[in-house]
Amino acid sequence: FQDQAEQFFRSGHTNNWAVLVCTSRFWFNYRHVANTLSVYRSVKRLGIPDSHIVLMLADDMACNPRNPKPATVFSHKNMELNVYGDDVEVDYRSYEVTVENFLRVLTGRIPPSTPRSKRLLSDDRSNILIYMTGHGGNGFLKFQDSEEITNVELADAFEQMWQKRRYNELLFIIDTCQGASMYERFYSPNIMALASSQVGEDSLSHQPDLGIGVHLMDRYTFYVLEFLEEIHPASQTNMNDLFQVCPKSLCVSTPGHRTDLFQRDPQNVLITDFFGSVRKVEITTETISLDRDLAGFESKFPEDEFATEPLKYAEQLPVAQIIHQKPKQKDWHPPGGFILGLWALIIMVFFKTYGIKHMKHVF
Amino acid sequence: VVEGLALLDLGVSPYSGAVFHETPLIIYLFHFLIEYAELVFMITDVLTAVALYLAIQDFNKAVFKKQKLLIELDKYAPDVAELIQTPMEMHYIPLKVALFYLLNPYTVMSCVAKSTCAINNSVIAFFILATIKGSAFLSAVFLALATYQSLYPLTLFAPALLYLLQRQFIPIKLRSRSFWLYTLQYASLYLCSLVVIICLSFFLLNSWDFIPSVYGFILSVPDLTPNIGLFWYFFAEMFQHFSLFFVCVFQINVFFYTIPLAIKLKEHPVFFMFVQMAIISIFKSYPTVGDVALYMAFLPVWSHLYRFLRNIFILSCVLIFCSFLFPVLWHLWIYAGSANSNFYYAITLTFNIGQILLVSDYFYAFLRREYYLTHGLHLTRQDGTEAMLVLK
């Protein structure tokens, strides 16, 4: 039991969150919404509740006037799998999906009036899954056809999350063209990233449905969905299997991944660590005494070198000085030579035009 | 300007930031006058109006004299009595010009906005006054000042030269020695004063970095903040490797019309000056409504062309509507977010098309009147049927 109790703390996380973002609008980007909804479905099936999922969909496909089958979003052709279902809860919809809102959700700098369902209330024991899909390019992802988020901004947002202790481990999956460029700039610890294509490659869509008239899913997410359908809350499949999903023969693009910032070996990371909300519950009638220093639990965060005392805002700003400010004395004056030259020229022009006879009036 | 002065107070060159692109003489002027900025701009507008008033007064006298001379020389066709300008109708034109400038909503807006365009306008107005009075020296000095301020009044060199030649009764023939002599004199006056002013500005800050900041800025158009001109949208959406080519094309467009217009309008240099000023304010890299106000002030001088103007209703509607739509679409684009730059640029384009239409309409009307004056009002073709004048 001691071993198992130690195992209890080994993975380090106690709760799971998911932020699923679809950034494209318009009917022909049906597949991006279907991508996000399939990941949503898997994540919910594996145990993450709606209260811990922030779902951002930039457009409404299910109730789109062009949808021949209203209230459905299919992921397989021949309408095999409806990922919309009855209990989808979209937190950010339509025009609310903006770069600013996304970054605010991640960093937690949200106006006080935001409802709980729109907040990412993670803490330093949370494993967060971030899934993004849409149209992208080398170093950016397009939101709503009007703005972009760059890989630098994303990396800085993750660093803010790290500094604010908002995650324990983070899995970032992106399914766009040139998706690998989005994770190139990450520099915060404990991030693992997967992308559907390398820089210079396009991510392709899977199959069109002739009844609906659009492509239903992107290849990478289609095969990820197939993979995830096999997973159940107790499965021990690890990340290395996820890296093998969708080889080049099936996906045409080369999926990539990045694990150098991650502290654990991907072999030991279970899929359900990120995609599911697995609670380890062991019922026992014996008492266990836990050792003070448990192996595997090291302090992950560096100690502050010097403790600073909390600063009060009012003391930092010299209010009295500002209020009673005198108008500033100008420090710069034009050089004497310039003034002399300028006025000499003006006087010369004046006399040239109007004649020397005025000189005696001046002097 | 405030930013430039603040940087200077901190001991840094005011051109090191990307905001200040005015000349050193403006620094000198505003160093002392920055607290009274509103008064300064009001006074400059009044000065411009006074200069325009005096200039047009003199110009009317010159026009009337020339007209009398041509009538006595029998250069006019017999049935053009109604086209001749009389002193009665020309009496109030200078006052109208001054009022057109002062009461133009564009002038009021640029005065309220405290735009340095007012200073540009007043220098150009003084230049026009000096040219029409006939003083080559003063006109060269003011033209040098205007060119020093913003590069484009360089094109006003040609009409000023033509006017002064006309005044000195020197015929404009390419082989005539006196023509070249006078041209050289005027050009050398202009260039010398320009060089002197630039050297003087060097002594203000002891550095030459005002040259790339002022002239390099005007010519290479790095800042693409939307304005009422044509440059910003093109360069915002252009690929980097084409931008040099298109900058050259756009800048040549301003200077290009001078020579053909000089050939066509060599008898009428003041009209040429008006057309040139309009072309500058349409095609310049960073136009403002103050530039538009300046050439619009000249419209009463050619009010006798009214019967020949063809599109006056449409273009006045276009100009008025566009002026109202500018702030509306700006608000929609920037604040409401429900329009985009295309909407604003469409209005910019329409406004500039209206201006171009205005200029070309006046041009057509002017040439038509000139043709009628020499060939009579009732034009007939060779077989006797009535003919129409067309601008090809």
Side-chain angles (χ1 to χ4, degrees):
Chain A
F1 271 139
Q2 184 83 340
D3 288 333
Q4 280 186 325
E6 282 182 12
Q7 168 99 4
F8 196 87
F9 293 106
R10 194 149 293 169
S11 74
H13 77 283
T14 58
N15 58 77
N16 284 81
W17 285 82
V19 178
L20 310 174
V21 184
C22 160
T23 59
S24 319
R25 57 173 33 246
F26 306 128
W27 172 247
F28 47 81
N29 290 320
Y30 183 104
R31 58 190 190 282
H32 297 140
V33 174
N35 290 348
T36 320
L37 284 173
S38 2
V39 178
Y40 172 79
R41 171 204 157 76
S42 316
V43 145
K44 222 165 132 167
R45 192 174 54 80
L46 291 172
I48 303 186
D50 273 313
S51 56
H52 283 228
I53 303 177
V54 177
L55 178 61
M56 303 170 84
L57 295 180
D59 204 354
D60 181 11
M61 296 305 164
C63 301
N64 195 304
R66 290 172 75 167
N67 191 349
K69 303 273 176 206
T72 60
V73 174
F74 292 109
S75 63
H76 286 59
K77 70 170 189 236
N78 301 327
M79 300 175 220
E80 285 167 18
L81 182 57
N82 175 17
V83 288
Y84 197 68
D86 307 337
D87 56 352
V88 167
E89 277 185 25
V90 182
D91 300 306
Y92 284 83
R93 56 175 59 89
S94 190
Y95 289 107
E96 295 168 358
V97 178
T98 60
V99 172
E100 183 187 342
N101 282 350
F102 175 62
L103 290 176
R104 282 186 185 279
V105 163
L106 285 186
T107 54
R109 299 159 111 167
I110 286 188
S113 54
T114 322
R116 272 182 88 90
S117 58
K118 285 184 161 170
R119 294 178 187 240
L120 178 67
L121 297 163
S122 55
D123 52 30
D124 63 327
R125 293 277 129 236
S126 309
N127 274 12
I128 309 184
L129 164 73
I130 298 184
Y131 175 83
M132 301 183 79
T133 181
H135 289 287
N138 189 357
F140 66 92
L141 170 62
K142 180 173 80 154
F143 266 69
Q144 297 261 22
D145 210 26
S146 64
E147 48 182 3
E148 309 90 43
I149 186 172
T150 57
N151 48 9
V152 177
E153 285 177 343
L154 197 56
D156 287 340
F158 286 164
E159 175 67 12
Q160 278 194 48
M161 288 173 80
W162 175 253
Q163 290 189 2
K164 292 169 80 158
R165 324 271 205 253
R166 279 171 73 76
Y167 69 89
N168 174 38
E169 284 166 350
L170 201 127
L171 176 64
F172 175 76
I173 305 184
I174 184 159
D175 187 352
T176 63
C177 303
Q178 309 195 52
S181 63
M182 286 307 279
Y183 62 63
E184 274 173 0
R185 299 294 199 115
F186 292 166
Y187 54 96
S188 319
N190 285 351
I191 301 184
M192 193 183 323
L194 281 110
S196 58
S197 56
Q198 301 293 334
V199 174
E201 285 180 352
D202 291 333
S203 288
L204 302 174
S205 57
H206 187 57
Q207 27 165 246
D209 178 301
L210 295 173
I212 298 186
V214 281
H215 285 261
L216 296 182
M217 278 275 267
D218 281 330
R219 282 174 189 250
Y220 182 72
T221 314
F222 182 80
Y223 291 109
V224 167
L225 176 65
E226 247 183 28
F227 173 80
L228 288 174
E229 290 286 302
E230 313 285 317
I231 309 280
H232 54 87
S235 58
Q236 299 290 311
T237 338
N238 56 39
M239 277 295 164
N240 277 343
D241 302 322
L242 187 58
F243 295 156
Q244 309 301 328
V245 161
C246 209
K248 194 166 163 105
S249 54
L250 284 175
C251 256
V252 187
S253 57
T254 320
H257 55 91
R258 180 178 177 176
T259 51
D260 55 314
L261 294 164
F262 205 75
Q263 287 182 4
R264 291 192 287 154
D265 188 1
Q267 183 89 12
N268 298 334
V269 180
L270 300 177
I271 298 284
T272 48
D273 275 351
F274 288 102
F275 284 88
S277 182
V278 177
R279 295 276 177 268
K280 294 193 176 70
V281 178
E282 296 267 356
I283 304 178
T284 170
T285 50
E286 298 178 13
T287 30
I288 310 170
S289 58
L290 297 168
D291 207 345
R292 269 260 148 190
D293 43 354
L294 290 160
F297 182 68
E298 292 159 311
S299 168
K300 292 207 184 76
F301 305 114
E303 305 267 312
D304 287 347
E305 240 103 65
F306 31 85
T308 50
E309 28 177 88
L311 294 167
K312 291 207 230 332
Y313 182 72
E315 290 165 355
Q316 293 177 52
L317 210 56
V319 175
Q321 253 182 329
I322 292 174
I323 293 177
H324 302 293
Q325 219 174 26
K326 290 189 191 37
K328 265 204 309 213
Q329 290 299 323
K330 282 198 263 252
D331 296 321
W332 176 81
H333 295 281
F338 172 80
I339 302 182
L340 201 66
L342 183 69
W343 286 102
L345 274 176
I346 293 177
I347 290 178
M348 268 181 3
V349 168
F350 177 74
F351 283 129
K352 176 75 173 56
T353 339
Y354 291 106
I356 297 284
K357 62 183 190 291
H358 293 274
M359 207 143 13
K360 67 174 196 283
H361 294 287
V362 172
F363 290 106
Chain B
V1 170
V2 171
E3 160 104 7
L5 289 176
L7 280 176
L8 213 45
D9 277 340
L10 291 171
V12 178
S13 157
Y15 299 105
S16 54
V19 176
F20 183 64
H21 295 285
E22 292 289 338
T23 55
L25 282 182
I26 297 282
I27 296 181
Y28 178 67
L29 179 72
F30 280 105
H31 178 67
F32 300 105
L33 297 176
I34 192 74
E35 285 101 37
Y36 317 108
E38 291 94 1
L39 263 180
V40 168
F41 285 108
M42 286 196 279
I43 291 175
T44 30
D45 274 340
V46 167
L47 279 175
T48 316
V50 166
L52 286 175
Y53 178 86
L54 295 170
I56 300 298
Q57 228 176 20
D58 262 350
F59 174 60
N60 276 350
K61 290 200 193 107
V63 158
F64 194 60
K65 235 191 280 185
K66 187 171 167 199
Q67 200 171 244
K68 206 159 135 191
L69 181 71
L70 285 174
I71 290 177
E72 281 171 12
L73 287 178
D74 251 344
K75 284 284 174 70
Y76 288 163
D79 55 348
V80 292
E82 57 202 43
L83 288 183
I84 309 275
Q85 285 179 296
T86 59
M88 278 299 287
E89 65 193 36
M90 282 165 59
H91 181 63
Y92 283 111
I93 287 181
L95 187 64
K96 277 194 210 166
V97 164
L99 281 178
F100 255 57
Y101 183 75
L102 282 177
L103 296 179
N104 196 345
Y106 293 145
T107 322
V108 175
M109 280 200 287
S110 69
C111 183
V112 168
K114 294 187 255 195
S115 153
T116 48
C117 183
I119 299 178
N120 287 12
N121 283 359
S122 84
V123 175
I124 294 179
F126 277 111
F127 153 70
I128 294 175
L129 177 62
T131 314
I132 293 185
K133 290 266 185 193
S135 152
F137 174 63
L138 262 188
S139 127
V141 166
F142 278 116
L143 187 63
L145 263 179
T147 312
Y148 164 74
Q149 233 355 66
S150 72
L151 214 47
Y152 296 105
L154 176 63
T155 52
L156 291 174
F157 178 82
L161 181 64
L162 286 172
Y163 188 83
L164 289 167
L165 281 171
Q166 218 181 44
R167 224 182 129 88
Q168 305 276 6
F169 301 112
I170 299 174
I172 304 167
K173 280 206 256 289
L174 276 178
R175 294 174 190 265
S176 143
R177 214 175 136 248
S178 51
F179 165 69
W180 283 113
L181 205 63
Y182 196 82
T183 314
L184 261 154
Q185 265 183 339
Y186 188 63
S188 63
L189 271 172
Y190 168 64
L191 285 171
C192 282
S193 23
L194 192 60
V195 163
V196 163
I197 294 175
I198 291 185
C199 287
L200 196 64
S201 333
F202 169 72
F203 287 117
L204 184 73
L205 292 169
N206 284 322
S207 68
W208 290 108
D209 57 354
F210 73 94
I211 291 186
S213 279
V214 179
Y215 305 115
F217 180 77
I218 293 177
L219 288 176
S220 68
V221 195
D223 180 51
L224 297 174
T225 317
N227 46 47
I228 63 169
L230 302 163
F231 280 61
W232 57 276
Y233 188 80
F234 273 99
F235 291 104
E237 60 176 21
M238 197 173 283
F239 291 115
Q240 204 58 27
H241 42 272
F242 290 128
S243 64
L244 181 62
F245 170 68
F246 277 102
V247 154
C248 294
V249 168
F250 274 67
Q251 298 288 4
I252 285 175
N253 203 15
V254 183
F255 295 101
F256 183 71
Y257 297 101
T258 315
I259 300 196
L261 280 175
I263 296 173
K264 184 72 187 170
L265 289 174
K266 62 179 184 244
E267 308 292 325
H268 315 286
V270 180
F271 186 72
F272 178 21
M273 210 179 287
F274 162 72
V275 173
Q276 192 58 51
M277 280 200 301
I279 288 176
I280 289 176
S281 63
I282 297 170
F283 292 111
K284 129 184 221 198
S285 49
Y286 292 102
T288 63
V289 289
D291 301 313
V292 177
L294 183 62
Y295 78 80
M296 277 197 179
F298 278 89
L299 293 180
V301 183
W302 290 292
S303 52
H304 56 89
L305 297 173
Y306 182 72
R307 55 182 291 175
F308 298 116
L309 291 172
R310 293 182 302 170
N311 301 321
I312 195 71
F313 176 66
I314 288 182
L315 62 93
S316 53
C317 284
V318 162
L319 287 175
I320 292 177
F321 283 161
C322 288
S323 317
F324 282 119
L325 280 177
F326 266 122
V328 168
L329 286 167
W330 177 262
H331 178 86
L332 270 181
W333 172 26
I334 300 286
Y335 298 110
S338 56
N340 59 31
S341 58
N342 295 320
F343 291 64
Y344 188 75
Y345 191 62
I347 297 300
T348 307
L349 272 178
T350 324
F351 186 70
N352 284 318
I353 286 175
Q355 285 181 287
I356 293 173
L357 208 56
L358 175 76
V359 169
S360 61
D361 216 14
Y362 267 92
F363 188 65
Y364 168 77
F366 190 84
L367 290 178
R368 196 167 161 189
R369 180 174 168 271
E370 292 301 315
Y371 190 80
Y372 280 150
L373 277 178
T374 44
H375 291 91
L377 260 181
H378 300 288
L379 305 167
T380 52
R381 283 188 222 164
Q382 275 152 352
D383 52 358
T385 54
E386 202 176 318
M388 248 284 284
L389 258 188
V390 169
L391 185 67
K392 265 195 141 169

